[in-house]
Amino acid sequence: MNTKFTEQDRSILQSYDSVVEGLAEYLGGASEIVLHSLEDYQHSVVKIANGYHTGRELGAPITNLALQMLQEIEQSNSKQAISYFTRSKNNRLMKSSTIAIRGEAGKIIGLLCINMNLDESFAGFLQAFLPQLDIESRGQQEHFASSVEDMIHETIERTIEAVDASPDISYANRNKHIIGLLHERGVFNLRDAVAIVANALKITKHTVYLHLRNNASKNEKKENK
């Protein structure tokens, strides 16, 4: 039977749209990511990425295996996800995982399904996990610190190293660039970040705030041009 949804249920399910897109980008073209809504089993697919693996599009019905996995999850006291192997209608071997999405009162309102095409060439599959120029250029080294304060300190250290190594940044502009980069990296969204940065750079908190205001003003002028 279909599940009667509330507006909150629909909002919860819609919030998974970005999860579908993110998983598809992370896992690459060998993956198919599907979001099912249990409000209407006849048209359960409300979001799909790389649907060419199974030939499905938005509005496709729920599958027999998805129904079976839903039944197993509902009957289990602990399972929230089930992984299994299956074959698509064009006989491609798939490793699949069905994950329950719960709404109000803990009822299951949707399923997030991940299907990996194991018949994809190894070279094609591996390509998704090798550095690409457009992805590699985005980020810094990720810091797996034991506390938020440690993470802030590590980010400050790496940022200082990068600025000090740049021949294009004068010493007079050093702190301004460091604070600007730390702002871009979201450091100042964290508690006590201003005090920690001020201490690391041996300047006052007032000076940190001054650089942040100047940076915000400069960005605002760029946006208004």
Side-chain angles (χ1 to χ4, degrees):
M1 293 179 61
N2 297 344
T3 302
K4 188 176 180 180
F5 276 21
T6 65
E7 287 304 313
Q8 184 175 348
D9 288 333
R10 294 189 185 98
S11 295
I12 291 170
L13 201 61
Q14 188 176 9
S15 71
Y16 280 80
D17 281 7
S18 59
V19 177
V20 172
E21 294 174 6
L23 283 172
E25 183 173 351
Y26 176 74
L27 295 172
S31 68
E32 179 191 65
I33 317 296
V34 188
L35 179 62
H36 289 282
S37 167
L38 301 184
E39 189 170 22
D40 181 359
Y41 287 6
Q42 299 299 319
H43 307 283
S44 70
V45 176
V46 292
K47 183 77 174 180
I48 187 167
N50 302 336
Y52 50 80
H53 287 288
T54 59
R56 286 181 293 179
E57 298 178 346
L58 289 177
I62 198 166
T63 67
N64 61 314
L65 269 179
L67 280 174
Q68 182 181 329
M69 297 305 110
L70 172 61
Q71 184 81 356
E72 289 187 26
I73 291 171
E74 286 181 329
Q75 292 176 352
S76 169
N77 292 325
S78 58
K79 284 184 179 178
Q80 297 300 321
I82 300 175
S83 295
Y84 51 95
F85 291 91
T86 186
R87 286 192 177 273
S88 65
K89 63 182 180 182
N90 52 10
N91 206 36
R92 291 177 175 173
L93 180 62
M94 314 278 282
K95 182 174 183 181
S96 303
S97 184
T98 297
I99 305 164
I101 300 172
R102 296 186 181 271
E104 285 191 282
K107 66 182 178 182
I108 299 177
I109 58 172
L111 299 171
L112 180 64
C113 297
I114 304 170
N115 302 309
M116 291 298 298
N117 178 8
L118 300 183
D119 286 339
E120 180 82 11
S121 71
F122 182 72
F125 177 81
L126 190 62
Q127 191 66 31
F129 296 94
L130 293 175
Q132 307 294 317
L133 287 177
D134 61 328
I135 297 175
E136 190 176 27
S137 61
R138 291 178 192 167
Q140 336 296 316
Q141 178 182 355
E142 190 165 5
H143 307 313
F144 300 98
S146 57
S147 70
V148 171
E149 188 172 341
D150 286 344
M151 186 271 288
I152 294 173
H153 280 295
E154 289 182 23
T155 305
I156 293 170
E157 289 174 12
R158 298 291 182 271
T159 304
I160 290 173
E161 288 173 4
V163 169
D164 287 347
S166 174
D168 300 323
I169 300 174
S170 67
Y171 186 79
N173 290 322
R174 174 179 181 266
N175 288 343
K176 179 180 75 173
H177 279 277
I178 291 170
I179 291 168
L181 286 171
L182 291 173
H183 178 263
E184 289 176 9
R185 294 167 187 176
V187 167
F188 293 105
N189 292 324
L190 301 172
R191 185 178 178 181
D192 297 329
V194 169
I196 295 171
V197 170
N199 185 60
L201 297 179
K202 296 180 174 57
I203 57 178
T204 65
K205 289 195 290 184
H206 174 76
T207 303
V208 175
Y209 282 121
L210 178 64
H211 284 306
L212 286 173
R213 284 196 297 270
N214 290 339
N215 188 62
S217 177
K218 184 173 67 175
N219 290 337
E220 186 177 348
K221 288 178 182 177
K222 284 183 181 178
E223 290 174 1
N224 291 333
K225 282 185 178 179

